[in-house]
Amino acid sequence: MSVNIEFFQKISNELNLKNVKLIAVSKTKSEKDIMLLYSEGQRIFGENKVQEMLSKAESLPKDIKWHLIGHLQTNKVKYIVEFVSMVHSIDSLKLLLEIDRQAQKYNRAINCLLQFHIATEESKFGLNLEEANDLLNAEAFKSLKNIRICGVMGMASFSDDNALIRGEFRNLKNIYQRIKDAFFLEDDAFCEISMGMSGDFEIATSEGSSMVRIGSLLFGQR
Ligand SMILES: *Cc1c(COP(=O)(O)O)cnc(C)c1O
């Protein structure tokens, strides 16, 4: 069996004690596998593709909180706003504007994290601090009513250099604090740092993450 129930029980207890939320990353995994963790009490699942999240959300229990952790194209926003619990991958004002526009139809405020590019590797996705400042200062941003910015998200380099990874997580924590101080000091909703995956979640939690996104250690290799 590929789902590691024993690891799940151990890690969810440990994270609970640290007040860190566990996002069980179920991308490519079956509904049956998801239900195995659901019956152990897990309610937050992470997916990186809109279509896959949509079809799973349709057939699985309605109290599951679905987190979109992968890149989101503006033309797909309309498929998820009705039910998505959090979008971790906000990387443009354009995307926020579209989420706001679609969310109005359902009278919802969508929980969003700003994704930062913290790794050394080239990546198309993720903001830097200057881009985030520009976004949060934009007049168009200030008028949005159907989005809720809840914090930041980032992925460390794919590396076995623990010092490098630790430095990248520390950088994300600093970014979080600077944005908190500049824009969200009075806003308790801005409190999340989504960092840490199967290979680096221990480093991430020791650097202050509030959410970890763990896939392969729970569900087996993809
Ligand atoms: C796949 C994925 C994860 C989980 O990765 P694992 O190494 O399997 O734990 C976490 N975050 C994002 C953004 C992902 O795409």
Side-chain angles (χ1 to χ4, degrees):
M1 193 157 72
S2 57
V3 178
N4 192 337
I5 300 290
E6 216 169 299
F7 173 78
F8 167 76
Q9 289 168 340
K10 179 171 163 287
I11 195 66
S12 69
N13 280 332
E14 285 174 11
L15 293 172
N16 250 330
L17 291 172
K18 294 181 189 160
N19 261 323
V20 175
K21 290 189 259 307
L22 173 62
I23 319 300
V25 176
S26 48
K27 62 191 188 196
T28 78
K29 298 300 176 179
S30 68
E31 297 178 359
K32 185 165 151 275
D33 282 355
I34 293 174
M35 285 311 293
L36 284 174
L37 288 193
Y38 179 90
S39 59
E40 293 292 321
Q42 179 66 18
R43 289 296 178 273
I44 311 178
F45 291 89
E47 292 283 338
N48 69 337
K49 294 211 169 85
V50 165
Q51 268 320 317
E52 187 176 343
M53 186 171 82
L54 189 57
S55 77
K56 286 172 174 171
E58 271 168 5
S59 43
L60 290 169
K62 299 303 168 207
D63 61 341
I64 288 180
K65 294 189 165 100
W66 294 100
H67 285 217
L68 188 76
I69 61 172
H71 182 65
L72 177 57
Q73 292 173 275
T74 47
N75 62 350
K76 298 204 169 147
V77 168
K78 57 178 176 286
Y79 301 119
I80 63 165
V81 279
E82 188 176 3
F83 70 93
V84 72
S85 173
M86 184 173 274
V87 178
H88 288 232
S89 46
I90 302 298
D91 60 359
S92 72
L93 179 57
K94 180 167 163 259
L95 180 57
L96 278 179
L97 294 174
E98 176 63 5
I99 294 174
D100 185 77
R101 194 171 78 87
Q102 296 293 339
Q104 284 171 31
K105 299 177 184 169
Y106 300 95
N107 201 21
R108 296 190 68 203
I110 308 296
N111 297 319
C112 295
L113 302 180
L114 301 175
Q115 181 174 358
F116 284 87
H117 181 241
I118 54 170
T120 52
E121 292 135 7
E122 287 290 317
S123 162
K124 286 179 290 184
F125 305 125
L127 302 160
N128 60 38
L129 188 56
E130 189 190 343
E131 290 165 336
N133 273 311
D134 289 349
L135 186 161
L136 295 166
N137 278 317
E139 282 308 317
F141 171 77
K142 291 176 188 161
S143 62
L144 301 183
K145 298 209 163 46
N146 294 69
I147 52 131
R148 185 182 298 117
I149 305 290
C150 298
V152 302
M153 178 272 222
M155 272 189 276
S157 295
F158 187 71
S159 163
D160 39 24
D161 181 347
N162 286 349
L164 174 73
I165 293 169
R166 187 174 291 282
E168 291 170 357
F169 287 146
R170 198 163 287 178
N171 180 32
L172 185 60
K173 173 80 194 273
N174 283 333
I175 288 171
Y176 165 84
Q177 199 57 56
R178 290 181 64 166
I179 294 179
K180 176 83 182 165
D181 292 346
F183 298 97
F184 297 101
L185 215 45
E186 311 277 281
D187 183 351
D188 292 339
F190 190 92
C191 64
E192 304 289 1
I193 304 177
S194 169
M195 61 183 188
M197 312 182 9
S198 289
D200 56 23
F201 74 91
E202 280 154 320
I203 303 175
T205 55
S206 77
E207 292 298 330
S209 55
S210 70
M211 294 179 162
V212 293
R213 310 176 309 270
I214 299 182
S216 42
L217 283 181
L218 293 170
F219 289 104
Q221 290 301 323
R222 288 180 297 272

